[in-house]
């Protein structure tokens, strides 16, 4: 087998948007990925299905892979013919040992490329409103390790000289050793009152900045329980933080919001929440599976001409229909004939993505609104085919039949409670560490209760605010004895996020 290739790629400091376009391309092309602890999970979602993921960082109860093991693994995988992506936090070279890995690859004759990444040394300041250089204030900066290789005989960082040689000092891995670093800098002539910023988990939703001084820094590390990973910035530029901080000042910064959805659907809500600054904690409560019997849907499709309307009531339904057609060797042309109705904007978008125009889509995302609109179209004597979840509400059917339509309902998927859930999330919820729990459908409410058992679920929810996407979901919650704190006027994911933002507006 021909030799593969290795890419040493910087994943950026944490915000999944901060990987480069080239880095992402390499990631998508690779079939083996070796990744570090500081590489965000969201970036890993870009890895193609079936890619072998090898975690090189420390695990809770295991040792991390040693550098030699990482080198050996990289070389071995590439020699086996794989395209290997070595994904590192920040930039692969800046205290990243990327150069050492490249040397090993070279020795083994493996072709490689190195893709720079946005280093936390610069990004932490950018996201905390602390520019590393600033006209009139700082015209130089240095990036320094606070954690010298303990195997080296003598420390090579000359803190005393650095103290006054550069305007802004950016220190990585310096939390543990800050006391002696500060002492050395002061001994080297830096003013003890020089402002210092500790930015931990920079660019992540949980980013936190603590402002201090050289003199007080050690006490503040203890007082504010500052833990790695953190970037320490020393210099007058730190003063800009009070005016330029933006990432931590977003409307939901510091809030933790539970997203109870299906695995497939969670990402949109999570993305919008994190855009507003919240930490989205995903707890899948639903699984989408095939209907027990495809017969009714298949038969309906085989005589699609006999229907006047095809009604789709969710994105999951649209995807299920598409997959079923493909599975049977058909495609969307098999749906030609009836006019198309969608329950809401997201469903309409999913349909349009298949290249099918939607004829009717109500503004409000509930079955009643869709029924009203269809009735407005004049459905008396018409034949409606409704493709939807096996266990959906029957409003559309009743209203349609009342209006004189002949309604055929065919299940195209089923929703079942998730098989398992993450205990640590439920623990956090019980401890009041989650501010808001979102429910984006009645079934998420029901399945959440079912998954945990009613008593445990209620207890877990007692300390969080409950947000429901619309009136139906809200009444499912109140019927089950839950209190609903947040409910948008606009029954969409965007509306839900806005309502949560409103709740926390001061
Ligand atoms: N190659 C990385 C640095 C690796 S050394 C880069 O270019 O960013 C690891 C140190 O980087 C951590 O101890 C911490 O000081 C810093 N670091 C990395 N990511 C960080 C983040 N998101 N927030 C704060 N510090 C971070």
């Amino acid at each position: 087998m021909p030799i593969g290739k290795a890419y040493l790629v910087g994943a950026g400091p944490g915000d999944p948007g901060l990987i480069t376009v080239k880095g992402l391309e390499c990631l998508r092309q690779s079939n083996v990925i070796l990744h570090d602890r500081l590489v965000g999970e969201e970036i890993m979602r870009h890895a193609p299905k079936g890619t072998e993921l090898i975690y090189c960082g420390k695990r809770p109860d295991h040792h991390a892979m040693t550098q030699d093991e990482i080198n050996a693994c990289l070389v071995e995988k590439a020699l086996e013919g794989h395209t290997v992506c070595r994904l590192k936090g920040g930039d692969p070279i800046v205290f990243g040992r990327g150069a050492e890995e490249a040397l090993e690859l070279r020795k083994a004759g493996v072709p490689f490329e190195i893709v720079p990444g946005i280093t936390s040394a610069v990004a932490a300041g950018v996201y905390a409103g602390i520019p590393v250089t600033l006209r009139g204030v700082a015209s130089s900066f240095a990036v320094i390790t606070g954690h010298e290789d303990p195997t080296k005989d003598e420390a090579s960082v000359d803190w005393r000289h650095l103290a006054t040689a550069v305007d802004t000092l950016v220190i990585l891995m310096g939390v543990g050793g800050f006391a002696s670093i500060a002492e050395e800098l002061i001994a080297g002539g830096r003013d003890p009152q020089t402002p210092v910023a500790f930015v931990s988990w920079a660019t992540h939703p949980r980013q936190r900045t603590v402002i201090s001084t050289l003199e007080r820094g050690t006490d503040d590390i203890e007082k504010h329980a500052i833990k790695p990973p953190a970037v320490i910035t020393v210099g007058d530029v730190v003063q800009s933080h009070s005016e330029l901080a933006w990432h931590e000042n977003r409307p939901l910064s510091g809030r933790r919001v539970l997203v109870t959805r299906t695995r497939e659907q969670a990402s949109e809500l999570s993305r919008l929440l994190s855009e507003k600054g919240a930490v989205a904690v995903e707890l899948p409560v639903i699984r989408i599976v095939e209907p027990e019997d495809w017969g009714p849907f298949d038969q309906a499709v085989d005589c699609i001409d006999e229907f006047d309307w095809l009604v789709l009531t969710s994105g999951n339904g649209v995807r299920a229909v598409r997959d079923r057609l493909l599975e049977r060797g058909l495609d969307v042309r098999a749906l030609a004939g009836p006019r198309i109705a969608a329950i809401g904007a997201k469903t309409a978008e999913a349909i349009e993505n298949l290249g099918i125009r939607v004829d009717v889509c109500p503004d409000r995302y509930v079955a009643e609104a869709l029924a009203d609109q269809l009735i407005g179209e004049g459905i008396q004597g018409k034949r409606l085919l409704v493709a939807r979840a096996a266990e959906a509400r029957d409003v559309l059917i009743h209203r349609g039949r009342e209006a004189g339509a002949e309604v055929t309902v065919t299940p195209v998927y089923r929703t079942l409670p998730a098989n398992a859930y993450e205990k640590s999330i439920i623990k956090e919820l019980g401890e009041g560490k989650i501010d808001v729990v979102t429910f984006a459908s009645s079934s998420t409410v029901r399945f959440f209760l079912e998954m945990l058992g009613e008593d445990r679920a209620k207890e877990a929810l007692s300390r969080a605010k409950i947000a429901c996407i619309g009136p139906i979901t809200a009444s499912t919650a109140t019927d089950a004895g839950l209190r609903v704190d947040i409910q948008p006027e606009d029954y969409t994911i965007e509306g839900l996020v806005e309502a949560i933002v409103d709740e926390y507006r001061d």
Side-chain angles (χ1 to χ4, degrees):
M1 188 183 289
I3 287 184
K5 178 161 186 171
Y7 296 103
L8 304 174
V9 176
D15 179 337
L18 293 181
I19 186 169
T20 63
V21 174
K22 182 157 185 186
L24 203 53
E25 265 170 26
C26 295
L27 182 64
R28 290 191 171 132
Q29 276 174 30
S30 303
N31 41 20
V32 179
I33 297 174
L34 282 83
H35 61 108
D36 278 349
R37 184 173 76 97
L38 289 175
V39 174
E41 254 174 48
E42 275 176 80
I43 286 179
M44 299 306 295
R45 287 194 197 147
H46 293 289
K49 277 212 175 91
T51 305
E52 184 183 357
L53 301 179
I54 302 174
Y55 178 60
C56 306
K58 284 202 186 91
R59 284 158 261 221
D61 47 351
H62 293 264
H63 290 298
M65 274 166 91
T66 64
Q67 189 61 48
D68 286 342
E69 283 165 352
I70 295 171
N71 295 348
C73 179
L74 252 177
V75 167
E76 181 192 313
K77 292 291 176 186
L79 289 179
E80 278 172 11
H82 296 291
T83 304
V84 187
C85 179
R86 171 73 176 111
L87 199 59
K88 290 161 167 290
D91 177 84
I93 301 297
V94 177
F95 305 128
R97 308 187 76 160
E100 289 164 58
E101 291 172 12
L103 271 175
E104 288 296 318
L105 290 163
R106 188 188 125 99
K107 261 198 254 163
V110 174
F112 64 85
E113 284 183 33
I114 309 180
V115 182
I118 295 179
T119 176
S120 62
V122 172
V126 173
Y127 271 51
I130 301 167
V132 284
T133 67
L134 184 63
R135 261 176 88 90
V137 178
S139 44
S140 61
F141 71 99
V143 179
I144 314 149
T145 170
H147 183 268
E148 275 290 337
D149 186 345
T151 60
K152 277 191 200 162
D153 287 341
E154 50 194 86
S156 60
V157 177
D158 187 343
W159 293 102
R160 291 190 189 205
H161 270 103
L162 278 169
T164 53
V166 279
D167 298 320
T168 307
L169 293 124
V170 181
I171 305 162
L172 305 191
M173 300 173 279
V175 174
F178 185 76
S180 55
I181 292 171
E183 219 169 83
E184 286 293 294
L185 291 175
I186 292 168
R190 196 78 180 215
D191 184 346
Q193 303 305 324
T194 307
V196 173
F198 299 95
V199 186
S200 43
W201 289 104
T203 80
H204 289 256
R206 64 202 273 203
Q207 172 179 316
R208 185 173 65 134
T209 304
V210 174
I211 303 294
S212 182
T213 62
L214 266 188
E215 202 174 41
R216 282 191 293 111
T218 310
D219 290 343
D220 279 334
I221 288 175
E222 180 152 352
K223 184 166 146 208
H224 297 279
I226 297 166
K227 299 260 172 345
V231 169
I232 306 173
T233 306
V234 179
D236 291 336
V237 290
V238 167
Q239 272 148 358
S240 297
H241 170 77
S242 59
E243 284 171 341
L244 297 184
W246 59 273
H247 189 254
E248 285 157 78
N249 297 353
R250 290 172 304 160
L252 295 179
S253 286
R255 304 280 170 198
R256 296 171 67 78
V257 180
L258 190 74
V259 175
T260 56
R261 301 198 69 182
T262 64
R263 261 197 201 290
E264 298 75 24
Q265 292 172 328
S267 54
E268 169 78 353
L269 179 55
S270 298
R271 189 182 60 75
L272 290 174
L273 285 167
S274 41
E275 231 173 68
K276 300 286 181 196
V279 177
V281 181
E282 293 183 358
L283 181 72
V285 295
I286 296 181
R287 284 180 298 144
I288 303 286
V289 297
E290 296 201 46
E292 269 162 19
D293 181 12
W294 276 112
F297 177 72
D298 291 349
Q299 283 156 23
V301 168
D302 292 342
C303 53
I304 198 77
D305 284 346
E306 293 172 16
F307 292 97
D308 302 289
W309 285 96
L310 169 60
V311 183
L312 293 156
T313 61
S314 72
N316 285 320
V318 176
R319 285 183 284 278
V321 164
R322 176 202 59 194
D323 292 349
R324 181 60 185 169
L325 292 177
L326 293 174
E327 201 177 300
R328 292 182 66 206
L330 302 169
D331 61 35
V332 291
R333 288 171 295 180
L335 302 178
R339 298 175 75 198
I340 307 278
I343 197 167
K346 277 273 142 24
T347 309
E349 194 183 313
I351 297 172
E352 278 163 6
N353 282 342
L354 298 179
I356 301 178
R357 192 186 291 282
V358 173
D359 300 296
V360 163
C361 174
D363 298 333
R364 282 188 315 134
Y365 173 75
V366 279
E368 283 78 358
L370 180 58
D372 287 344
Q373 202 151 346
L374 282 170
I375 291 165
E377 294 281 327
I379 51 170
Q380 195 184 5
K382 303 283 188 206
R383 298 193 62 186
L384 267 59
L385 172 60
V386 182
R388 57 162 207 183
E391 52 288 285
R393 296 188 315 130
D394 285 333
V395 180
L396 199 60
I397 303 168
H398 292 320
R399 297 281 313 275
R401 285 182 183 151
E402 264 169 36
E406 193 182 315
V407 184
T408 305
V409 182
T410 60
V412 291
Y413 66 95
R414 281 179 298 154
T415 49
L416 297 179
N419 298 339
Y421 60 88
E422 211 159 319
K423 295 213 170 52
S424 61
I425 297 181
I426 302 304
K427 185 161 169 272
E428 273 188 62
L429 193 55
E431 289 168 351
K433 290 184 182 158
I434 287 179
D435 301 280
V436 181
V437 174
T438 60
F439 291 112
S441 66
S442 288
S443 39
T444 50
V445 178
R446 283 198 303 271
F447 288 143
F448 183 84
L449 294 168
E450 219 169 287
M451 196 173 81
L452 287 176
E454 208 153 298
D455 291 344
R456 281 199 62 204
K458 283 186 184 159
E459 197 190 311
L461 289 172
S462 65
R463 300 184 66 180
K465 292 183 198 271
I466 298 179
C468 289
I469 194 165
I472 309 298
T473 309
S475 64
T476 307
T478 47
D479 288 352
L482 300 174
R483 170 200 81 247
V484 176
D485 306 289
I486 302 170
Q487 198 187 313
E489 273 166 32
D490 171 20
Y491 324 146
T492 58
I493 296 295
E494 291 81 0
L496 181 59
V497 173
E498 271 318 309
I500 297 171
V501 168
D502 281 344
E503 179 74 19
Y504 287 103
R505 215 183 287 283
D506 1 84

